[in-house]
């Protein structure tokens, strides 16, 4: 029996292969590969999809975060509140600008615990980074209230939440800036690197367009020192194809999650829950179990792949040892890092495979 992978990107390609191949040829034959019609069309279409005023295509999700904090003038001496169990890139977006991450423990939905934010606010706090981890929105109502009460910016990391909503509104449209990644494994994944930034603010959007292109607003005129962070025409074209199917692809993920939620009956596993008001797009299906390593090994022995998102929280990462954190500083996050396991979740998984995942988890005994 072939092993069921944790993810298989060939399957999502094959779901709409002729459309991707047609678009790829179209871009190749156009003779125009950077900042052209495809990027412009994609930006307009994705902005319209989310309801944001502006979408600016960028080279990656990390660049979107780096540019977001730069656009908000967050730098040395400024603090940004972020969930301690976030992905490391979230923290890098803050620290590359010289800002300081202030970690807050997650809630029961693996997201920033809004009730712990106020205790982390200091006179230096400038922003809250709301990371919608695993496809599920943070409590944007509470986070918005706190931000308004304390005069803080809100940046959303939507790298895992394309199409996810909270109280009927798309993630990426609640805060001052929404950051997206189009890394191939994301719900709206391209076939290479890519990202974008969403905002309703005309000036922030205009400055972002300049910054992504060496700080140039007019050819060979440079307003400030910028970056090369452009979404390319090939990715934008392929992302337009995928965006046209995004709702259907997210529905498929919801159906897979529904099968897992209904079928998994195990005393050893805690299933993920959906926050009231949130519609998750199930970027990952993450279970918690104190017997995580044993379950992962058992699944593999039985031909079921799985992943750990993430084994080392940023505050304990080698990259951030200079921040001086220690084991025990964020016990909920650290316990999560020992207990989380992501089951196979990808477009194109078969019902037979879903059933085998469920059956194998249910047969596990520590
Ligand atoms: C993938 C991801 C990023 C980084 O995106 P890249 O395009 O790989 O740079 C940032 N934040 C989160 C939550 C992610 O999952």
């Amino acid at each position: 029996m072939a092993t069921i992978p944790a993810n298989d990107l060939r399957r999502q390609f094959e779901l709409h292969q002729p459309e991707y191949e047609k678009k790829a040829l179209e871009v190749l034959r156009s003779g125009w590969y950077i900042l052209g019609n495809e990027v412009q069309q994609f930006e307009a279409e994705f902005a319209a999809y989310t309801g944001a005023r502006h979408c600016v295509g960028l080279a990656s999700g990390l660049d979107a975060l780096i540019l977001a904090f730069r656009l908000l003038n967050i730098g040395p001496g400024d603090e940004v509140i972020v969930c301690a169990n976030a992905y490391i890139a979230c923290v890098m977006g803050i620290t590359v600008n010289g800002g300081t991450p202030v970690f807050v423990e997650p809630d029961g939905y693996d997201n920033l615990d809004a009730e712990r934010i106020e205790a982390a606010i200091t006179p230096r706090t400038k922003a809250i980074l709301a990371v919608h981890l695993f496809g599920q929105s943070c409590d944007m109502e509470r986070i918005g209230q706190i931000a308004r009460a304390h005069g803080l910016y809100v940046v959303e990391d939507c790298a895992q939440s394309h199409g996810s909503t909270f109280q009927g509104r798309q993630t990426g449209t609640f805060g001052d800036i929404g950051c997206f990644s189009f890394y191939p494994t994301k719900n709206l994944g391209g076939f290479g690197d890519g990202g974008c930034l969403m905002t309703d603010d005309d000036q922030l959007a205009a400055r972002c367009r300049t910054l992504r292109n060496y700080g140039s607003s007019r050819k060979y005129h440079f307003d400030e020192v910028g970056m090369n962070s452009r979404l390319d025409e090939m990715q934008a074209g392929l992302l337009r194809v995928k965006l046209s199917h995004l709702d259907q692809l997210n529905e498929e993920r919801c159906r897979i999650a529904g099968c897992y939620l209904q079928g998994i009956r195990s005393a050893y596993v805690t299933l993920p829950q959906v926050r009231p008001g949130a519609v998750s797009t199930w970027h990952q299906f993450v279970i918690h179990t104190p017997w995580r390593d044993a379950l992962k090994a058992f699944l593999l022995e039985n031909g079921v792949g799985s992943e750990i998102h993430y084994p080392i929280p940023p505050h304990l990462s080698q990259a951030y040892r200079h921040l001086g954190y220690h084991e025990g500083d964020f016990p909920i996050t650290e316990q999560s890092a020992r207990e989380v396991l992501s089951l196979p979740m990808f477009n194109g998984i078969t019902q037979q495979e879903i059933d085998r995942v469920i059956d194998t988890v249910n047969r596990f005994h520590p």
Side-chain angles (χ1 to χ4, degrees):
M1 233 172 353
T3 294
I4 303 165
N7 196 353
D8 181 351
L9 292 174
R10 215 165 9 186
R11 304 235 198 134
Q12 54 88 34
F13 167 63
E14 284 165 359
L15 287 175
H16 303 104
Q17 182 168 351
E19 288 174 67
Y20 292 125
E21 291 181 348
K22 179 166 171 279
K23 179 58 80 176
L25 275 179
E26 203 180 302
V27 175
L28 282 173
R29 289 168 177 169
S30 74
W32 195 284
Y33 308 114
I34 295 286
L35 295 185
N37 183 53
E38 295 293 343
V39 169
Q40 219 168 33
Q41 292 295 322
F42 173 73
E43 289 176 341
E45 287 163 8
F46 196 35
Y49 177 87
T50 60
R53 210 172 143 88
H54 303 284
C55 167
V56 183
L58 301 169
S60 74
L62 175 58
D63 277 1
L65 290 161
I66 291 172
L67 281 165
F69 291 111
R70 179 159 173 195
L71 287 166
L72 298 174
N73 299 314
I74 287 168
D78 298 332
E79 294 178 354
V80 178
I81 290 170
V82 60
C83 201
N85 69 327
Y87 182 49
I88 195 111
C90 314
V91 182
M92 290 181 178
I94 301 165
T95 61
V96 162
N97 285 286
T100 304
V102 173
F103 298 110
V104 167
E105 295 268 42
D107 58 18
Y109 306 98
D110 295 313
N111 269 332
L112 180 62
D113 187 345
E115 296 315 318
R116 293 172 189 261
I117 292 175
E118 280 186 311
I121 293 175
T122 76
R124 291 180 298 279
T125 310
K126 288 287 175 343
I128 301 169
L129 175 57
V131 183
H132 307 299
L133 213 57
F134 307 146
Q136 172 155 214
S137 174
C138 297
D139 182 349
M140 294 315 292
E141 185 176 4
R142 192 75 192 97
I143 289 171
Q145 285 167 354
I146 295 167
R148 279 190 297 278
H150 295 269
L152 306 176
Y153 292 117
V154 174
V155 176
E156 296 176 74
D157 183 335
C158 310
Q160 304 188 3
S161 70
H162 316 76
S164 305
T165 61
F166 183 70
Q167 296 175 346
R169 190 162 150 189
Q170 290 272 330
T171 57
T173 64
F174 291 90
D176 297 278
I177 295 177
C179 301
F180 290 80
S181 163
F182 306 125
Y183 184 78
T185 60
K186 312 294 188 187
N187 288 35
L188 179 58
F191 297 82
D193 275 311
C196 79
L197 182 153
M198 297 275 189
T199 183
D200 284 343
D201 186 308
D202 298 349
Q203 279 167 343
L204 288 183
R207 185 167 171 227
C208 188
R209 283 182 200 288
T210 301
L211 284 174
R212 75 172 169 187
N213 195 28
Y214 315 117
S216 167
S217 53
R218 195 151 57 95
K219 199 169 183 181
Y220 302 132
H221 291 255
F222 303 97
D223 309 341
E224 59 181 316
V225 178
M227 306 166 55
N228 172 354
S229 183
R230 302 171 297 223
L231 182 66
D232 64 70
E233 287 285 288
M234 182 63 80
Q235 293 311 321
L238 296 170
L239 284 165
R240 288 181 67 198
V241 173
K242 194 153 203 184
L243 179 60
S244 73
H245 300 293
L246 181 61
D247 284 341
Q248 172 202 337
L249 294 168
N250 279 340
E251 276 165 30
E252 184 186 352
R253 286 176 183 270
C254 290
R255 198 187 62 76
I256 299 162
C259 291
Y260 286 160
L261 288 170
Q262 276 214 318
I264 296 175
R265 292 279 174 271
S266 166
Y268 312 112
V269 161
T270 306
L271 294 170
Q273 295 196 321
V274 178
R275 182 190 307 284
V279 175
S280 177
T281 49
W282 297 102
H283 174 62
Q284 298 293 348
F285 189 92
V286 177
I287 60 175
H288 289 242
T289 171
W291 299 279
R292 194 265 312 280
D293 292 343
L295 175 57
K296 189 175 197 327
F298 179 79
L299 290 173
L300 196 59
E301 277 164 34
N302 289 278
V304 177
S306 61
E307 284 288 345
I308 298 168
H309 299 102
Y310 300 93
I312 304 169
H315 73 279
L316 297 179
S317 162
Q318 179 78 357
Y320 286 115
R321 68 191 180 283
H322 58 278
L323 295 179
Y325 289 104
H326 299 100
E327 187 106 35
D329 286 340
F330 298 97
I332 300 173
T333 296
E334 291 162 23
Q335 186 180 343
S336 242
R338 289 188 298 267
E339 297 193 344
V340 287
L341 191 67
S342 307
L343 299 181
M345 169 58 77
F346 55 90
N347 293 115
I349 192 171
T350 66
Q351 189 62 46
Q352 207 179 7
E353 289 172 321
I354 295 169
D355 292 341
R356 245 181 75 205
V357 173
I358 293 168
D359 177 62
T360 313
V361 172
N362 288 345
R363 283 192 292 110
F364 171 72
H365 293 274

